[in-house]
Amino acid sequence: QAQFVESGGGLVQPGGSLRLSCAASGFSLGGYAIGWFRQAPGKEREGVACISTSGSSTNYQDYVKGRFTISRDSAKGTVYLQMNSLKPEDTAVYYCAADRLPLFRRCLLSAQEEYNYWGQGTQVTVSS
């Protein structure tokens, strides 16, 4: 069965950096737009960033613009979320998800129900 493997989470101090990775087994991420979502305790899951199937366009939540960067490695079939200047409010479980979209269609962070595959999440904790 298709499965996502997420890694890179952990405990960091405010201002620190982490790079999250998303890889798939049983299918290729190359045919999907990829989104990163997060859910903090007591809050609803929200979109963080996404990248189109082609990798040519991205979409970010306003609060992470300029700090987070989503990218994909076509050769490895891996999608990354580079997180810099982390803040305590970034603390959450981060999920990778795949959305089957045409090659150049812009991804949406608001359409969570359209994503086909979801990872189990990786914990990111930002604290001093």
Side-chain angles (χ1 to χ4, degrees):
Q1 297 292 322
Q3 185 178 33
F4 274 19
V5 179
E6 297 155 307
S7 62
L11 174 64
V12 297
Q13 294 182 331
S17 298
L18 286 173
R19 188 178 73 163
L20 305 184
S21 299
C22 178
S25 62
F27 71 103
S28 174
L29 295 180
Y32 298 83
I34 302 297
W36 284 97
F37 301 82
R38 69 186 184 187
Q39 187 168 25
K43 295 184 178 181
E44 297 294 320
R45 187 172 61 194
E46 63 179 358
V48 177
C50 64
I51 187 167
S52 64
T53 302
S54 70
S56 62
S57 64
T58 57
N59 195 11
Y60 295 93
Q61 183 210 88
D62 288 342
Y63 292 112
V64 306
K65 289 181 179 178
R67 299 190 297 122
F68 291 10
T69 302
I70 188 171
S71 63
R72 62 194 310 160
D73 185 329
S74 297
K76 294 183 177 180
T78 303
V79 177
Y80 303 98
L81 182 67
Q82 179 66 47
M83 305 186 295
N84 299 325
S85 302
L86 284 163
K87 304 174 181 180
E89 51 263 42
D90 294 318
T91 296
V93 177
Y94 284 70
Y95 299 89
C96 179
D99 187 6
R100 189 176 178 179
L101 293 176
L103 193 63
F104 295 102
R105 183 170 295 176
R106 187 174 180 85
C107 60
L108 297 175
L109 295 174
S110 60
Q112 297 184 30
E113 71 279 1
E114 295 183 359
Y115 285 77
N116 302 91
Y117 303 105
W118 290 81
Q120 296 301 305
T122 184
Q123 178 70 49
V124 172
T125 302
V126 185
S127 177
S128 59

